[in-house]
């Protein structure tokens, strides 16, 4: 059972590492320079940067889980709850911020609706993560 979990953890970490490399390459390729005659502006696509950050959180949890499986120890729920809260907060606030900014600037709803949907899904995940964190806090407080 341990070997199967260890192999699955290695495969998932390898996939997350591959995704991280892909996201970093896409982010680096999104850099550009714009000169309007008044000055030079360097720009990039922040969506790829956010995906890199989320992937780093997931990879850190994956490496932590891999270490715990290798040492045959129990995965602590405090760390997994923190990672879940962090990922769901990013998945909630960033897309909603991009959507609201686009609507304020008068851009088309159709072009930015996916940011709204992803943000709403992230908000649901954030609420569930907060509920899980509160339950974990109560369980830890009761066991002291």
């Amino acid at each position: 059972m341990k070997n199967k979990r260890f192999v699955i953890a290695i495969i998932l970490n390898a996939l997350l590492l591959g995704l991280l490399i892909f996201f970093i390459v896409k982010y680096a390729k999104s850099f550009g320079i714009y000169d309007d005659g008044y000055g030079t502006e360097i720009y990039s696509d922040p969506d790829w940067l956010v995906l890199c950050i989320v992937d780093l959180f997931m990879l850190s949890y994956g490496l932590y889980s891999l270490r715990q499986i290798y040492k045959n120890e129990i995965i602590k729920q405090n760390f997994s709850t923190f990672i879940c809260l962090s990922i769901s907060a990013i998945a909630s606030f960033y897309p909603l911020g991009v959507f609201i900014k686009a609507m304020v600037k008068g851009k088309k709803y159709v072009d930015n609706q996916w940011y709204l949907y992803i943000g709403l899904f992230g908000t649901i995940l954030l609420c569930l993560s907060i509920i899980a964190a509160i339950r974990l806090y109560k369980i830890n407080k009761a066991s002291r």
Side-chain angles (χ1 to χ4, degrees):
M1 182 67 175
K2 177 186 172 187
N3 291 336
K4 185 177 178 182
R5 287 180 62 203
F6 190 71
V7 169
I8 290 172
I10 288 176
I11 291 170
L12 287 174
N13 283 317
L15 287 172
L16 286 171
L17 185 62
L19 273 175
L20 181 64
I21 292 168
F22 174 75
F23 293 152
I24 289 172
V25 168
K26 292 298 272 186
Y27 180 64
K29 287 177 119 183
S30 74
F31 276 95
I33 298 174
Y34 175 72
D35 187 8
D36 61 357
Y38 294 105
T40 304
E41 180 182 338
I42 299 173
Y43 62 90
S44 65
D45 188 0
D47 293 348
W48 293 113
L49 179 62
V50 169
L51 287 172
C52 286
I53 292 169
V54 168
D55 196 310
L56 277 173
F57 276 113
M58 291 171 41
L59 186 62
S60 68
Y61 179 69
L63 292 173
Y64 169 76
S65 299
L66 186 66
R67 181 180 153 269
Q68 295 301 95
I69 292 169
Y70 180 74
K71 289 187 170 187
N72 204 16
E73 295 177 358
I74 297 172
I75 297 172
K76 295 188 168 104
Q77 287 185 336
N78 294 339
F79 186 69
S80 60
T81 304
F82 170 74
I83 293 294
C84 194
L85 276 169
S86 302
I87 291 171
S88 60
I90 293 170
S92 174
F93 297 132
Y94 175 74
L96 287 176
V98 171
F99 176 76
I100 291 170
K101 182 179 176 182
M103 293 299 101
V104 167
K105 287 187 172 185
K107 295 185 179 178
K108 292 182 181 178
Y109 172 81
V110 175
D111 295 339
N112 296 291
Q113 67 183 348
W114 287 107
Y115 286 111
L116 175 65
Y117 302 146
I118 293 169
L120 291 175
F121 181 72
T123 303
I124 292 169
L125 286 177
L126 182 61
C127 292
L128 292 173
S129 299
I130 290 171
I131 291 169
I134 291 170
R135 286 185 180 172
L136 181 64
Y137 175 74
K138 287 181 180 178
I139 290 171
N140 286 343
K141 189 176 179 182
S143 65
R144 288 183 193 173

